[in-house]
Amino acid sequence: MVVKKRIAICGFNLESNRFAPSCNEADFKESMYFSGPDISKEARAEHPKIHLGVKGFYDAMDKQFGGEKGWEDEPILVIGSQPAGPVDEIFFNRFLHDLETRLKKMRDVDGVYICQHGAAVATHTHDPDGEMFKLVRRIVGPKVPIVATLDLHANISQQMVDETDLLIGYRTNPHVDLFERGQEAARCMLELFSGVELYKHWIKLPLVAPSVTLLTDDGHPYGDLIREGQGYIGHAIINVTILAGFAFSDTPKNGMSFLVYSRESSKNAETVANKLAQKAWSERERYKTNMISLSTATKLAKEVGDNPDPEPLLFADPADNPGGGGRGNTTFILKKFLEAGVKNCVFSVFFDIHAVETAFESGVGSKIKITLNHNEENQFSEALSIEATVLSLHSGIFKGHYGMVAGTTADTGRTAILDIEGIRLICISKRQQCRSSDFLSAFGIDPIDCRTIVVKSRGHFRAGFKHIFNPNQILEIDAPGLTSPNLSCFDWEYLPRPVYPLDRDTIWEINN
Ligand SMILES: [Zn+2]
């Protein structure tokens, strides 16, 4: 009789911005919190709310074993929050305790798949991801393969490398390969089941590039680097993972990581990692920002709104990116655009629960007077008093078609569309970044008809708007915020120094 493979599934997903308010259970419950059989159900759903990495893993395993009855999943806990500040110690420890209890209840497993982000910090530790990996290893023992997928913004620790057999990072930014990386994790786990031994090598560079410089399309340094890394995949090398990390986590773990796994030897993995790290270091000056000032953006928006001839423009506000822990509600750009009388412009999306509630109470067609950021305490979330007309009201749940939300169910919470003197503001009650044109069309706004659109996003929107806007129609505005690409604006406490580009004379040499 063939014994079915039994694989435990778990994951903790948080990208922590040290400068943002801390997060706790409520943030995870609002975003993604699945346990037990609900994980299997979501993973096999057509438009899942669970991380697509889990769906990819299940898909590959189901195909390998001829359907879901051909292998046994042990779904444990898969949770995730929108990017936020450090996770609260009490909640994180409770999560670990729950994970431990559930893992111990399982019968022996053959493998563990961990769907993890990898850039979490906690209020009490720099390395909650590593703590979790250590716990899983302690319970399943040294021989059971543990394979994890990571976001390419993960900050790597020795503990994360040591406690797992294989770490597989995304290779696209915007991240559109979560599903494929989940499938890859499954394929690699099957290889580990067959007895293949992997040798690993890890190098970390003192390079912490601003997030806006880390796109992976052709012509971008990070994309070129990742593609070069993939050129080594073959008979000997099973995986090359290059993780740029997430600057705003501000941990001793920060720095671009090169992880190479070889079926042949440690030396083989080391040689490839060295070559790639040297290439990245020699090209470090390519990681440059290219933003325009708020006054230039205002002038352009006014011109494009008033005249039908110029091409429509898509403005990004990378400094207030909820996808990096930003609050998604700063008013610097909105205020300037209103003062200048910009027309035919849509702000997608703006996080303000109070504005949404007021709009719902008043109803469609009503005029309301409100103060945006009524209850916000963050220094960048300045209050702004406005008079608006409520254009429409929505549940906020919709199916995604483009970019990172394609094939998923998105949920912005109750959502209100307000018109403020020719500017439409999409107010949402679940904080998140605008990841695609679905965030307009789901609420009855045709993105094709907009003269200008402003998104609070660092770069993930690009995959979800590329069917409408060419790269030359997309401009990044230099405004203040919790996720400003101007790294010198922050009071770094734990970042290893010197580090490039903050310390321009940083020296790095390979130590063989
Ligand atoms: Zn990321």
Side-chain angles (χ1 to χ4, degrees), residues 462-478:
R462 288 175 185 267
F465 280 96
K466 68 178 181 189
H467 57 294
I468 304 174
F469 292 92
N470 293 319
N472 63 4
Q473 290 172 271
I474 300 174
L475 300 166
E476 291 162 351
I477 305 177
D478 188 0

Side-chain angles (χ1 to χ4, degrees), residues 152-155 207-209 214 222 242-247 255-257:
L152 60 69
H153 294 107
N155 297 313
L207 171 60
V208 174
L214 295 168
Y222 189 38
I242 305 175
L243 302 168
F246 185 61
M256 188 179 276
S257 272

Side-chain angles (χ1 to χ4, degrees), residues 104-125:
K104 281 182 174 164
K105 267 193 203 152
M106 298 179 316
R107 287 171 290 138
D108 291 342
V109 288
D110 298 291
V112 182
Y113 168 54
I114 308 182
C115 177
Q116 197 89 351
H117 184 289
V121 296
T123 50
H124 64 296
T125 168

Side-chain angles (χ1 to χ4, degrees), residues 15 117 151-153 170 173 175 458 460:
E15 185 178 72
H117 184 289
D151 191 285
L152 60 69
H153 294 107
Y170 308 159
N173 189 21
H175 311 328
R458 179 272 311 156
H460 285 332

Side-chain angles (χ1 to χ4, degrees), residues 38-53:
D38 283 349
I39 295 173
S40 328
K41 208 167 106 197
E42 272 300 312
R44 292 182 173 117
E46 200 181 340
H47 286 87
K49 287 184 180 164
I50 205 164
H51 193 291
L52 286 176

Side-chain angles (χ1 to χ4, degrees), residues 279-503:
K279 176 185 166 71
W281 189 248
S282 68
E283 295 181 350
R284 62 193 179 281
E285 286 181 14
R286 289 180 70 196
Y287 295 87
K288 271 201 189 93
T289 58
N290 184 25
M291 296 187 284
I292 60 168
S293 69
L294 181 48
S295 59
T296 302
T298 308
K299 225 179 279 170
L300 285 169
K302 173 77 178 148
E303 197 180 308
V304 173
D306 290 347
N307 302 298
D309 297 332
E311 283 188 315
L313 293 175
L314 177 55
F315 294 106
D317 182 5
D320 186 29
N321 169 28
R327 301 295 298 155
N329 60 10
T330 65
T331 53
F332 303 104
I333 300 173
L334 177 62
K335 189 165 177 237
K336 278 275 180 283
F337 279 23
L338 285 170
E339 282 168 5
V342 171
K343 303 289 178 219
N344 301 317
C345 174
V346 176
F347 276 68
S348 174
V349 287
F350 190 91
F351 171 61
D352 196 319
I353 295 171
H354 174 69
V356 172
E357 280 173 1
T358 310
F360 268 81
E361 276 163 24
S362 305
V364 174
S366 64
K367 294 213 181 328
I368 54 173
K369 276 188 185 182
I370 45 167
T371 301
L372 298 174
N373 293 330
H374 181 62
N375 291 321
E376 266 284 335
E377 285 170 6
N378 191 270
Q379 54 162 325
F380 294 109
S381 303
E382 291 182 355
L384 180 68
S385 296
I386 55 161
E387 287 185 38
T389 305
V390 181
L391 294 179
S392 60
L393 300 169
H394 308 266
S395 73
I397 297 169
F398 58 91
K399 288 188 172 38
H401 301 285
Y402 296 100
M404 287 174 66
V405 289
T408 69
T409 300
D411 181 4
T412 53
R414 291 212 297 178
T415 297
I417 316 301
L418 306 181
D419 178 84
I420 322 163
E421 302 164 35
I423 290 178
R424 279 172 287 176
L425 192 66
I426 302 177
C427 290
I428 60 171
S429 45
K430 286 189 179 179
R431 188 178 62 87
Q432 60 197 282
Q433 67 184 309
C434 171
R435 282 164 290 160
S436 75
S437 60
D438 298 307
F439 284 70
L440 286 87
S441 46
F443 307 126
I445 299 173
D446 190 341
I448 308 279
D449 294 339
C450 304
R451 297 296 293 149
T452 53
I453 297 171
V454 182
V455 293
K456 287 183 175 292
S457 173
R458 179 272 311 156
H460 285 332
F461 67 96
R462 288 175 185 267
F465 280 96
K466 68 178 181 189
H467 57 294
I468 304 174
F469 292 92
N470 293 319
N472 63 4
Q473 290 172 271
I474 300 174
L475 300 166
E476 291 162 351
I477 305 177
D478 188 0
L482 273 171
T483 56
S484 167
N486 297 319
L487 299 185
S488 56
C489 297
F490 294 82
D491 292 327
W492 303 100
E493 201 173 341
Y494 303 107
L495 212 58
R497 303 298 283 265
V499 67
Y500 190 86
L502 280 168
D503 308 304

